[in-house]
Coordinates of all heavy atoms in Angstrom, one line a residue:
M198 N -4.1 2.5 7.5 CA -5.0 1.7 6.8 C -6.0 1.1 7.8 O -5.7 1.1 9.0 CB -4.3 0.7 6.0 CG -3.7 -0.5 6.7 SD -2.8 -1.5 5.6 CE -1.5 -2.0 6.7
R199 N -7.1 0.7 7.2 CA -8.2 0.2 8.1 C -8.6 -1.2 7.5 O -9.0 -1.2 6.3 CB -9.3 1.1 8.1 CG -10.3 0.9 9.2 CD -11.2 2.1 9.4 NE -12.3 1.9 10.3 CZ -12.2 1.9 11.6 NH1 -11.0 2.2 12.2 NH2 -13.2 1.6 12.4
I200 N -8.5 -2.2 8.3 CA -8.9 -3.6 7.8 C -9.9 -4.2 8.8 O -9.6 -4.2 10.0 CB -7.6 -4.5 7.7 CG1 -6.6 -3.9 6.8 CG2 -8.0 -5.9 7.3 CD1 -5.3 -4.6 6.7
R201 N -11.0 -4.6 8.4 CA -12.0 -5.2 9.2 C -12.4 -4.3 10.4 O -12.5 -4.8 11.5 CB -11.6 -6.6 9.7 CG -11.5 -7.6 8.5 CD -11.1 -9.0 9.0 NE -9.9 -9.0 9.8 CZ -8.6 -9.1 9.3 NH1 -8.5 -9.2 8.0 NH2 -7.6 -9.2 10.0
G202 N -12.4 -3.0 10.2 CA -12.8 -2.1 11.3 C -11.7 -1.7 12.2 O -11.9 -1.0 13.1
Q203 N -10.5 -2.2 12.0 CA -9.3 -2.0 12.9 C -8.3 -1.1 12.2 O -8.0 -1.3 11.0 CB -8.6 -3.3 13.2 CG -9.5 -4.3 14.0 CD -9.8 -3.8 15.4 OE1 -8.9 -3.2 16.0 NE2 -11.0 -4.0 15.8
N204 N -7.9 0.0 12.9 CA -6.8 0.8 12.3 C -5.5 0.1 12.4 O -5.2 -0.5 13.4 CB -6.7 2.1 13.1 CG -7.9 3.0 12.8 OD1 -8.4 3.0 11.7 ND2 -8.3 3.8 13.8
C205 N -4.7 0.1 11.3 CA -3.4 -0.6 11.3 C -2.4 0.4 10.7 O -2.8 1.3 9.9 CB -3.5 -1.8 10.4 SG -4.9 -2.9 10.7
R206 N -1.1 0.2 10.9 CA -0.1 1.0 10.4 C 0.8 0.2 9.4 O 1.0 -1.0 9.6 CB 0.8 1.6 11.5 CG 0.1 2.6 12.4 CD 1.1 3.3 13.3 NE 0.5 4.4 13.9 CZ 0.4 5.6 13.4 NH1 1.0 5.9 12.3 NH2 -0.1 6.6 14.1
G207 N 1.4 1.0 8.5 CA 2.3 0.4 7.6 C 3.1 1.4 6.8 O 2.8 2.6 6.9
V208 N 4.0 1.0 6.0 CA 4.8 1.9 5.2 C 4.8 1.4 3.8 O 5.0 0.3 3.4 CB 6.3 1.9 5.7 CG1 7.2 2.7 4.8 CG2 6.4 2.3 7.1
V209 N 4.4 2.4 2.9 CA 4.3 2.0 1.5 C 5.7 2.0 0.9 O 6.5 2.9 1.1 CB 3.5 3.1 0.7 CG1 3.5 2.9 -0.8 CG2 2.1 3.2 1.2
T210 N 6.0 0.8 0.3 CA 7.4 0.7 -0.3 C 7.4 0.6 -1.8 O 8.4 0.6 -2.4 CB 8.1 -0.6 0.3 OG1 7.3 -1.8 -0.1 CG2 8.3 -0.5 1.8
D211 N 6.2 0.5 -2.4 CA 6.0 0.4 -3.9 C 4.6 0.8 -4.2 O 3.7 0.4 -3.5 CB 6.3 -1.0 -4.3 CG 6.4 -1.1 -5.9 OD1 6.7 0.0 -6.5 OD2 6.3 -2.2 -6.4
L212 N 4.5 1.6 -5.3 CA 3.1 2.0 -5.7 C 3.1 2.1 -7.2 O 4.1 2.4 -7.9 CB 2.6 3.2 -5.0 CG 3.2 4.6 -5.3 CD1 2.3 5.6 -4.9 CD2 4.5 4.7 -4.4
S213 N 1.9 1.8 -7.8 CA 1.7 1.9 -9.2 C 0.2 2.3 -9.4 O -0.6 2.4 -8.5 CB 2.0 0.6 -9.9 OG 1.0 -0.4 -9.6
A214 N -0.2 2.4 -10.7 CA -1.6 2.8 -11.0 C -2.5 1.7 -10.6 O -3.7 2.0 -10.3 CB -1.7 3.1 -12.5
R215 N -2.1 0.5 -10.5 CA -3.0 -0.6 -10.2 C -2.9 -1.2 -8.8 O -3.7 -1.9 -8.3 CB -2.8 -1.8 -11.2 CG -3.2 -1.3 -12.6 CD -3.1 -2.4 -13.6 NE -2.4 -3.6 -13.3 CZ -2.1 -4.6 -14.1 NH1 -2.4 -4.5 -15.3 NH2 -1.5 -5.6 -13.7
G216 N -1.8 -0.8 -8.1 CA -1.7 -1.4 -6.7 C -0.5 -0.8 -6.0 O 0.2 0.1 -6.4
L217 N -0.3 -1.3 -4.7 CA 0.7 -0.8 -3.9 C 1.1 -1.9 -2.9 O 0.4 -2.9 -2.7 CB 0.4 0.4 -3.1 CG -0.8 0.4 -2.2 CD1 -0.6 1.6 -1.2 CD2 -2.1 0.7 -2.9
F218 N 2.3 -1.8 -2.4 CA 2.8 -2.8 -1.4 C 3.0 -2.0 -0.1 O 3.7 -1.0 -0.1 CB 4.1 -3.5 -1.8 CG 4.5 -4.6 -0.8 CD1 3.9 -5.8 -0.9 CD2 5.3 -4.3 0.2 CE1 4.2 -6.8 0.0 CE2 5.7 -5.3 1.1 CZ 5.1 -6.6 1.0
I219 N 2.5 -2.5 1.0 CA 2.6 -1.9 2.3 C 3.3 -2.9 3.2 O 2.9 -4.0 3.5 CB 1.3 -1.5 2.9 CG1 0.6 -0.5 2.0 CG2 1.4 -0.9 4.3 CD1 -0.8 0.0 2.4
Q220 N 4.5 -2.5 3.8 CA 5.2 -3.2 4.8 C 4.4 -3.1 6.1 O 4.2 -1.9 6.5 CB 6.6 -2.7 5.0 CG 7.6 -3.3 4.1 CD 9.0 -3.0 4.5 OE1 9.3 -2.0 5.2 NE2 10.0 -3.8 4.1
T221 N 4.0 -4.2 6.7 CA 3.2 -4.1 7.9 C 3.3 -5.5 8.6 O 3.5 -6.5 8.0 CB 1.8 -3.7 7.6 OG1 1.0 -3.7 8.8 CG2 1.1 -4.7 6.6
K222 N 3.0 -5.5 9.9 CA 2.9 -6.7 10.6 C 1.5 -7.2 10.6 O 1.2 -8.3 11.0 CB 3.4 -6.5 12.1 CG 4.8 -6.2 12.2 CD 5.2 -6.0 13.6 CE 6.7 -5.7 13.7 NZ 7.2 -5.5 15.1
T223 N 0.6 -6.4 10.1 CA -0.8 -6.8 10.0 C -1.0 -8.0 9.0 O -0.4 -8.0 8.0 CB -1.7 -5.6 9.5 OG1 -1.5 -4.5 10.4 CG2 -3.1 -5.9 9.4
V224 N -1.9 -8.9 9.4 CA -2.2 -10.0 8.6 C -3.6 -9.9 8.1 O -4.5 -9.6 8.9 CB -2.0 -11.3 9.4 CG1 -2.4 -12.6 8.6 CG2 -0.6 -11.5 9.9
A225 N -3.8 -10.2 6.8 CA -5.2 -10.1 6.2 C -5.3 -11.2 5.1 O -4.3 -11.4 4.4 CB -5.5 -8.8 5.7
D226 N -6.4 -11.8 5.0 CA -6.6 -12.8 4.0 C -6.7 -12.1 2.6 O -7.1 -11.0 2.5 CB -7.9 -13.6 4.2 CG -7.8 -14.4 5.5 OD1 -6.7 -14.9 5.8 OD2 -8.9 -14.6 6.1
E227 N -6.4 -12.9 1.5 CA -6.6 -12.4 0.2 C -8.0 -12.0 -0.1 O -8.9 -12.6 0.5 CB -6.2 -13.5 -0.8 CG -4.7 -13.7 -0.9 CD -4.2 -14.6 -2.0 OE1 -5.0 -14.8 -3.0 OE2 -3.1 -15.1 -1.9
D228 N -8.2 -11.0 -0.8 CA -9.5 -10.4 -1.2 C -10.2 -9.6 -0.1 O -11.3 -9.1 -0.3 CB -10.4 -11.4 -1.8 CG -11.4 -10.8 -2.8 OD1 -11.0 -9.9 -3.5 OD2 -12.6 -11.1 -2.7
T229 N -9.5 -9.4 1.0 CA -10.1 -8.6 2.1 C -10.0 -7.1 1.7 O -9.0 -6.7 1.1 CB -9.2 -8.8 3.4 OG1 -9.3 -10.1 3.8 CG2 -9.8 -7.9 4.5
E230 N -11.1 -6.4 1.9 CA -11.1 -4.9 1.6 C -10.2 -4.2 2.6 O -10.3 -4.4 3.8 CB -12.5 -4.4 1.6 CG -12.5 -2.9 1.2 CD -13.9 -2.4 1.1 OE1 -14.6 -2.7 0.1 OE2 -14.3 -1.6 2.0
V231 N -9.5 -3.2 2.1 CA -8.6 -2.4 2.9 C -8.8 -0.9 2.5 O -8.8 -0.6 1.3 CB -7.1 -2.7 2.6 CG1 -6.2 -1.9 3.5 CG2 -6.8 -4.2 2.9
Q232 N -9.1 -0.1 3.5 CA -9.2 1.3 3.3 C -7.8 1.9 3.6 O -7.3 1.7 4.7 CB -10.2 1.9 4.2 CG -11.6 1.4 3.9 CD -12.6 1.7 5.0 OE1 -12.2 2.1 6.1 NE2 -13.9 1.6 4.7
V233 N -7.2 2.6 2.7 CA -5.9 3.1 2.8 C -5.9 4.6 2.8 O -6.6 5.2 1.9 CB -4.9 2.6 1.6 CG1 -3.5 3.2 1.8 CG2 -4.9 1.1 1.6
R234 N -5.2 5.2 3.7 CA -5.0 6.7 3.7 C -3.5 7.0 3.6 O -2.7 6.6 4.4 CB -5.5 7.3 5.0 CG -5.3 8.8 5.0 CD -6.1 9.5 6.1 NE -7.4 9.8 5.5 CZ -8.4 10.3 6.2 NH1 -8.2 10.7 7.4 NH2 -9.6 10.5 5.6
L235 N -3.2 7.6 2.4 CA -1.8 8.0 2.2 C -1.5 9.4 2.6 O -2.4 10.3 2.3 CB -1.5 7.8 0.7 CG -1.6 6.5 0.1 CD1 -1.4 6.5 -1.4 CD2 -0.7 5.5 0.7
Y236 N -0.4 9.6 3.2 CA 0.0 11.0 3.6 C 1.2 11.4 2.8 O 2.2 10.6 2.7 CB 0.4 11.0 5.1 CG -0.8 10.8 6.0 CD1 -1.1 9.5 6.4 CD2 -1.7 11.8 6.3 CE1 -2.2 9.3 7.2 CE2 -2.8 11.6 7.1 CZ -3.1 10.3 7.6 OH -4.2 10.1 8.4
D237 N 1.1 12.6 2.2 CA 2.2 13.1 1.4 C 2.5 14.5 1.9 O 1.5 15.3 2.1 CB 1.9 13.1 -0.1 CG 3.0 13.6 -1.0 OD1 4.2 13.2 -0.8 OD2 2.7 14.5 -1.8
V238 N 3.7 14.9 2.0 CA 4.0 16.3 2.5 C 3.5 17.4 1.6 O 3.2 18.5 2.1 CB 5.5 16.5 2.7 CG1 6.0 15.6 3.8 CG2 6.3 16.3 1.5
D239 N 3.3 17.1 0.3 CA 2.9 18.1 -0.6 C 1.4 18.1 -0.9 O 0.9 18.9 -1.8 CB 3.6 18.0 -1.9 CG 5.1 18.2 -1.8 OD1 5.5 19.0 -0.9 OD2 5.9 17.6 -2.5
S240 N 0.6 17.3 -0.2 CA -0.9 17.3 -0.5 C -1.7 16.9 0.7 O -1.1 16.4 1.7 CB -1.1 16.3 -1.7 OG -0.9 15.0 -1.3
D241 N -3.0 17.0 0.6 CA -3.9 16.5 1.6 C -3.8 15.0 1.6 O -3.4 14.3 0.6 CB -5.3 16.9 1.3 CG -5.5 18.5 1.5 OD1 -4.7 19.1 2.3 OD2 -6.3 19.0 0.8
P242 N -4.3 14.3 2.7 CA -4.3 12.8 2.7 C -5.1 12.3 1.5 O -6.1 12.9 1.0 CB -5.0 12.5 4.0 CG -4.8 13.7 4.8 CD -4.8 14.9 3.9
I243 N -4.7 11.2 0.9 CA -5.4 10.5 -0.2 C -6.0 9.2 0.3 O -5.3 8.3 0.8 CB -4.4 10.3 -1.3 CG1 -3.8 11.6 -1.8 CG2 -5.0 9.6 -2.5 CD1 -2.6 11.5 -2.8
D244 N -7.3 9.0 0.1 CA -8.0 7.8 0.5 C -8.2 6.9 -0.6 O -8.7 7.3 -1.7 CB -9.3 8.2 1.2 CG -9.1 8.9 2.5 OD1 -8.2 8.6 3.2 OD2 -9.9 9.8 2.8
L245 N -7.9 5.6 -0.5 CA -8.0 4.6 -1.5 C -8.9 3.5 -0.9 O -8.8 3.2 0.3 CB -6.7 4.0 -1.9 CG -5.5 4.9 -2.2 CD1 -4.3 4.1 -2.4 CD2 -5.8 5.7 -3.5
I246 N -9.5 2.7 -1.8 CA -10.1 1.4 -1.4 C -9.3 0.4 -2.2 O -9.1 0.6 -3.4 CB -11.6 1.4 -1.8 CG1 -12.4 2.5 -1.2 CG2 -12.2 0.0 -1.5 CD1 -12.5 2.4 0.4
A247 N -8.9 -0.6 -1.5 CA -8.1 -1.7 -2.2 C -8.5 -3.0 -1.6 O -9.3 -3.1 -0.7 CB -6.6 -1.4 -2.0
R248 N -8.0 -4.1 -2.3 CA -8.2 -5.5 -1.8 C -6.8 -6.2 -1.7 O -6.0 -5.9 -2.6 CB -9.1 -6.2 -2.7 CG -10.6 -5.7 -2.7 CD -11.5 -6.7 -3.2 NE -12.9 -6.3 -2.9 CZ -13.5 -6.6 -1.7 NH1 -12.9 -7.3 -0.8 NH2 -14.8 -6.2 -1.5
V249 N -6.7 -7.0 -0.7 CA -5.5 -7.8 -0.6 C -5.3 -8.7 -1.8 O -6.2 -9.6 -2.0 CB -5.4 -8.6 0.7 CG1 -4.1 -9.4 0.8 CG2 -5.6 -7.6 1.9
A250 N -4.2 -8.6 -2.5 CA -3.9 -9.4 -3.7 C -2.9 -10.5 -3.2 O -3.0 -11.6 -3.8 CB -3.3 -8.6 -4.8
R251 N -2.0 -10.2 -2.3 CA -1.1 -11.2 -1.8 C -0.5 -10.8 -0.5 O -0.6 -9.6 -0.1 CB 0.1 -11.4 -2.8 CG 1.0 -10.2 -3.0 CD 2.0 -10.5 -4.0 NE 2.9 -9.3 -4.2 CZ 4.0 -9.1 -3.6 NH1 4.5 -9.9 -2.7 NH2 4.7 -8.0 -3.8
R252 N 0.0 -11.8 0.3 CA 0.6 -11.5 1.5 C 2.1 -12.0 1.4 O 2.4 -13.0 0.8 CB 0.0 -12.3 2.7 CG -1.4 -11.9 3.0 CD -1.9 -12.6 4.2 NE -1.9 -14.1 3.9 CZ -2.3 -15.0 4.8 NH1 -2.8 -14.6 5.9 NH2 -2.2 -16.3 4.5
R253 N 3.0 -11.2 2.0 CA 4.4 -11.6 2.1 C 4.8 -11.7 3.5 O 4.6 -10.8 4.3 CB 5.3 -10.7 1.3 CG 6.7 -11.2 1.3 CD 7.7 -10.3 0.5 NE 8.0 -9.1 1.3 CZ 8.5 -8.0 0.8 NH1 8.7 -7.9 -0.5 NH2 8.7 -7.0 1.6
T254 N 5.3 -12.9 3.9 CA 5.7 -13.1 5.3 C 7.2 -13.3 5.3 O 7.8 -13.8 4.3 CB 5.0 -14.3 6.0 OG1 5.3 -15.4 5.2 CG2 3.5 -14.0 6.1
S255 N 7.9 -12.9 6.3 CA 9.3 -13.1 6.5 C 9.5 -14.2 7.5 O 8.8 -14.3 8.5 CB 10.0 -11.9 6.9 OG 9.9 -10.9 6.0
H256 N 10.5 -15.0 7.2 CA 10.9 -16.0 8.2 C 11.4 -15.3 9.5 O 12.0 -14.2 9.4 CB 12.0 -16.9 7.7 CG 12.3 -18.1 8.6 ND1 13.2 -18.0 9.6 CD2 11.9 -19.4 8.6 CE1 13.3 -19.2 10.2 NE2 12.5 -20.0 9.6
R257 N 11.1 -15.9 10.6 CA 11.4 -15.2 11.9 C 12.9 -14.8 12.0 O 13.3 -13.9 12.6 CB 11.0 -16.0 13.1 CG 11.7 -17.3 13.3 CD 11.1 -18.0 14.6 NE 11.8 -19.2 14.7 CZ 11.3 -20.4 14.3 NH1 10.1 -20.5 13.8 NH2 12.0 -21.5 14.5
S258 N 13.8 -15.6 11.4 CA 15.2 -15.3 11.4 C 15.6 -14.1 10.6 O 16.6 -13.5 10.8 CB 16.0 -16.5 10.9 OG 15.8 -16.8 9.6
L259 N 14.7 -13.7 9.7 CA 15.0 -12.5 8.9 C 14.1 -11.3 9.3 O 14.2 -10.2 8.7 CB 14.6 -12.8 7.4 CG 15.5 -13.8 6.7 CD1 15.0 -14.1 5.3 CD2 16.9 -13.4 6.7
A260 N 13.3 -11.4 10.4 CA 12.4 -10.4 10.8 C 13.1 -9.0 11.0 O 12.5 -8.0 10.8 CB 11.6 -10.8 12.0
A261 N 14.3 -9.0 11.5 CA 15.0 -7.8 11.8 C 15.5 -7.1 10.5 O 15.7 -5.9 10.5 CB 16.2 -8.0 12.7
L262 N 15.6 -7.9 9.4 CA 16.1 -7.3 8.2 C 15.0 -7.0 7.2 O 15.1 -6.1 6.4 CB 17.1 -8.3 7.5 CG 18.3 -8.7 8.3 CD1 19.0 -9.8 7.6 CD2 19.2 -7.5 8.5
E263 N 13.9 -7.8 7.2 CA 12.9 -7.6 6.2 C 11.5 -7.9 6.8 O 11.3 -9.0 7.4 CB 13.1 -8.6 5.1 CG 12.1 -8.6 4.0 CD 12.3 -9.7 3.0 OE1 13.1 -9.4 2.1 OE2 11.7 -10.7 3.1
M264 N 10.7 -6.9 6.8 CA 9.3 -7.1 7.3 C 8.4 -7.6 6.1 O 8.6 -7.2 5.0 CB 8.8 -5.8 7.8 CG 7.4 -5.9 8.5 SD 6.7 -4.3 9.0 CE 7.9 -3.8 10.2
G265 N 7.5 -8.4 6.5 CA 6.5 -8.8 5.5 C 5.5 -7.7 5.2 O 5.7 -6.5 5.6
G266 N 4.4 -8.0 4.5 CA 3.5 -7.0 4.2 C 2.4 -7.5 3.3 O 2.2 -8.7 3.1
L267 N 1.6 -6.5 2.8 CA 0.5 -6.8 1.9 C 0.6 -6.1 0.6 O 0.9 -5.0 0.5 CB -0.8 -6.3 2.6 CG -1.1 -6.8 4.0 CD1 -2.3 -6.0 4.6 CD2 -1.4 -8.3 3.9
G268 N 0.4 -6.9 -0.5 CA 0.3 -6.4 -1.8 C -1.2 -6.1 -2.1 O -2.1 -7.0 -1.9
L269 N -1.5 -4.9 -2.4 CA -2.9 -4.5 -2.5 C -3.2 -4.1 -4.0 O -2.5 -3.4 -4.6 CB -3.2 -3.2 -1.6 CG -2.9 -3.4 -0.1 CD1 -3.2 -2.1 0.6 CD2 -3.7 -4.6 0.5
R270 N -4.4 -4.5 -4.4 CA -4.9 -4.1 -5.7 C -5.9 -3.0 -5.5 O -6.9 -3.1 -4.8 CB -5.6 -5.3 -6.4 CG -6.2 -5.0 -7.7 CD -6.9 -6.3 -8.3 NE -7.6 -7.1 -7.4 CZ -8.9 -6.9 -7.0 NH1 -9.6 -5.8 -7.5 NH2 -9.5 -7.7 -6.1
I271 N -5.7 -1.9 -6.2 CA -6.6 -0.7 -6.0 C -7.9 -1.0 -6.7 O -8.0 -1.4 -7.8 CB -5.9 0.5 -6.6 CG1 -4.7 0.9 -5.8 CG2 -6.9 1.7 -6.6 CD1 -3.8 2.0 -6.3
V272 N -9.0 -0.7 -5.9 CA -10.4 -0.8 -6.4 C -10.9 0.6 -6.8 O -11.5 0.8 -7.8 CB -11.3 -1.4 -5.4 CG1 -12.7 -1.4 -5.8 CG2 -10.8 -2.8 -5.0
S273 N -10.5 1.6 -6.0 CA -11.0 3.0 -6.2 C -10.0 3.9 -5.7 O -9.5 3.8 -4.5 CB -12.3 3.2 -5.4 OG -12.7 4.5 -5.5
A274 N -9.6 4.9 -6.5 CA -8.6 5.9 -6.1 C -9.0 7.3 -6.8 O -9.5 7.3 -7.9 CB -7.3 5.5 -6.6
P275 N -8.8 8.4 -6.0 CA -9.1 9.7 -6.6 C -8.0 10.2 -7.5 O -6.9 9.6 -7.6 CB -9.2 10.6 -5.3 CG -8.2 9.9 -4.4 CD -8.4 8.4 -4.6
E276 N -8.3 11.2 -8.3 CA -7.4 11.7 -9.2 C -6.1 12.1 -8.5 O -5.0 12.0 -9.1 CB -8.0 12.9 -9.9 CG -7.1 13.5 -11.0 CD -6.9 12.6 -12.2 OE1 -7.8 11.7 -12.5 OE2 -5.9 12.6 -12.9
A277 N -6.1 12.6 -7.3 CA -5.0 13.0 -6.5 C -3.9 11.9 -6.4 O -2.7 12.1 -6.4 CB -5.4 13.5 -5.2
Y278 N -4.4 10.6 -6.4 CA -3.5 9.5 -6.3 C -2.6 9.4 -7.6 O -1.4 9.2 -7.5 CB -4.2 8.2 -6.0 CG -3.3 7.0 -6.1 CD1 -2.5 6.7 -5.0 CD2 -3.3 6.1 -7.2 CE1 -1.6 5.6 -5.0 CE2 -2.4 5.0 -7.2 CZ -1.6 4.8 -6.1 OH -0.8 3.7 -6.1
F279 N -3.3 9.5 -8.7 CA -2.5 9.4 -10.0 C -1.6 10.6 -10.2 O -0.5 10.5 -10.8 CB -3.5 9.3 -11.1 CG -4.4 8.0 -10.9 CD1 -5.7 8.1 -10.5 CD2 -3.8 6.8 -11.2 CE1 -6.4 6.9 -10.3 CE2 -4.6 5.6 -11.0 CZ -5.9 5.7 -10.5
E280 N -2.0 11.8 -9.7 CA -1.1 12.9 -9.7 C 0.1 12.7 -8.8 O 1.3 13.0 -9.2 CB -1.8 14.2 -9.2 CG -2.9 14.6 -10.2 CD -3.8 15.7 -9.6 OE1 -3.6 16.2 -8.5 OE2 -4.8 16.1 -10.4
L281 N -0.1 12.0 -7.7 CA 1.1 11.7 -6.8 C 2.0 10.7 -7.6 O 3.2 10.9 -7.5 CB 0.6 11.0 -5.5 CG 1.6 10.5 -4.6 CD1 2.5 11.6 -4.0 CD2 1.0 9.7 -3.5
L282 N 1.4 9.7 -8.2 CA 2.3 8.8 -9.0 C 3.1 9.5 -10.0 O 4.3 9.2 -10.2 CB 1.4 7.8 -9.8 CG 0.8 6.7 -9.0 CD1 -0.1 5.8 -9.9 CD2 1.8 5.8 -8.4
L283 N 2.5 10.5 -10.7 CA 3.3 11.2 -11.7 C 4.4 12.0 -11.1 O 5.5 12.2 -11.7 CB 2.4 12.1 -12.5 CG 1.4 11.4 -13.5 CD1 0.5 12.4 -14.1 CD2 2.2 10.7 -14.6
S284 N 4.2 12.5 -9.9 CA 5.2 13.3 -9.2 C 6.4 12.5 -8.7 O 7.5 13.0 -8.5 CB 4.6 14.2 -8.1 OG 4.3 13.3 -7.0
V285 N 6.2 11.2 -8.4 CA 7.3 10.4 -7.9 C 7.8 9.4 -8.9 O 8.7 8.6 -8.6 CB 6.8 9.6 -6.6 CG1 6.5 10.5 -5.5 CG2 5.7 8.6 -6.9
R286 N 7.3 9.5 -10.1 CA 7.8 8.5 -11.2 C 9.3 8.7 -11.5 O 9.8 9.8 -11.6 CB 7.0 8.8 -12.5 CG 7.1 7.7 -13.5 CD 6.2 7.9 -14.6 NE 7.1 8.5 -15.7 CZ 6.6 9.0 -16.8 NH1 5.3 9.0 -17.0 NH2 7.4 9.4 -17.7
K287 N 10.0 7.6 -11.6 CA 11.4 7.6 -11.9 C 11.6 8.2 -13.3 O 10.9 7.8 -14.3 CB 12.0 6.2 -11.8 CG 12.0 5.7 -10.5 CD 12.5 4.2 -10.5 CE 12.4 3.6 -9.1 NZ 12.8 2.2 -9.1
P288 N 12.6 9.0 -13.5 CA 12.9 9.5 -14.9 C 13.4 8.4 -15.8 O 14.1 7.5 -15.3 CB 14.0 10.6 -14.7 CG 14.6 10.3 -13.3 CD 13.5 9.6 -12.5
E289 N 13.0 8.4 -17.0 CA 13.5 7.4 -18.0 C 14.9 7.7 -18.4 O 15.4 8.8 -18.5 CB 12.6 7.4 -19.2 CG 11.2 7.0 -18.9 CD 10.3 7.0 -20.2 OE1 10.8 6.9 -21.3 OE2 9.1 7.1 -20.0
V290 N 15.7 6.6 -18.6 CA 17.1 6.7 -18.9 C 17.2 6.6 -20.5 O 16.5 5.7 -21.1 CB 17.9 5.5 -18.3 CG1 19.3 5.6 -18.7 CG2 17.8 5.6 -16.8
E291 N 17.9 7.5 -21.1 CA 18.0 7.4 -22.5 C 19.3 6.6 -22.9 O 20.2 6.5 -22.3 CB 18.2 8.9 -23.1 CG 16.9 9.6 -22.9 CD 16.9 11.0 -23.5 OE1 17.8 11.2 -24.4 OE2 16.1 11.8 -23.1

């Protein structure tokens, strides 16, 4: 991802049609624009534009167990992103 012109790394731990959560040590203020590039083994990279909706920080005593991160609200996403969502969607339980 790219925030304020800086390349940053993170791991996507949750995604939906409206947003995603990225575990990262990067800190960004709410409403900051974020350029996200997702890599999937079955497709070309997917580029998104998002804005920081929330930040989650971990207490230093829990840092080894749980990393904080950024909750992002998607502003712009290509069709490939929604196809990826469909391919990883959990099956419904009957």
Side-chain angles (χ1 to χ4, degrees):
M198 73 184 145
R199 193 165 177 82
I200 302 174
R201 295 181 304 274
Q203 299 290 321
N204 289 326
C205 311
R206 290 192 171 271
V208 175
V209 175
T210 60
D211 190 19
L212 66 159
S213 72
R215 296 185 345 190
L217 59 158
F218 186 83
I219 300 180
Q220 274 190 336
T221 182
K222 293 180 181 178
T223 301
V224 176
D226 294 328
E227 286 187 21
D228 206 40
T229 300
E230 183 174 285
V231 181
Q232 298 167 342
V233 179
R234 175 165 279 178
L235 299 176
Y236 295 94
D237 179 51
V238 295
D239 295 330
S240 68
D241 293 331
I243 300 171
D244 293 323
L245 312 172
I246 302 294
R248 291 200 168 272
V249 177
R251 66 183 178 93
R252 296 184 302 181
R253 184 175 75 196
T254 57
S255 296
H256 188 274
R257 66 177 179 264
S258 64
L259 297 174
L262 301 173
E263 177 184 279
M264 184 184 296
L267 300 172
L269 304 177
R270 178 180 40 85
I271 295 173
V272 174
S273 174
E276 186 65 31
Y278 176 74
F279 300 102
E280 291 170 1
L281 173 65
L282 281 179
L283 291 173
S284 72
V285 297
R286 196 175 98 186
K287 294 178 184 175
E289 294 181 22
V290 176
E291 292 183 22

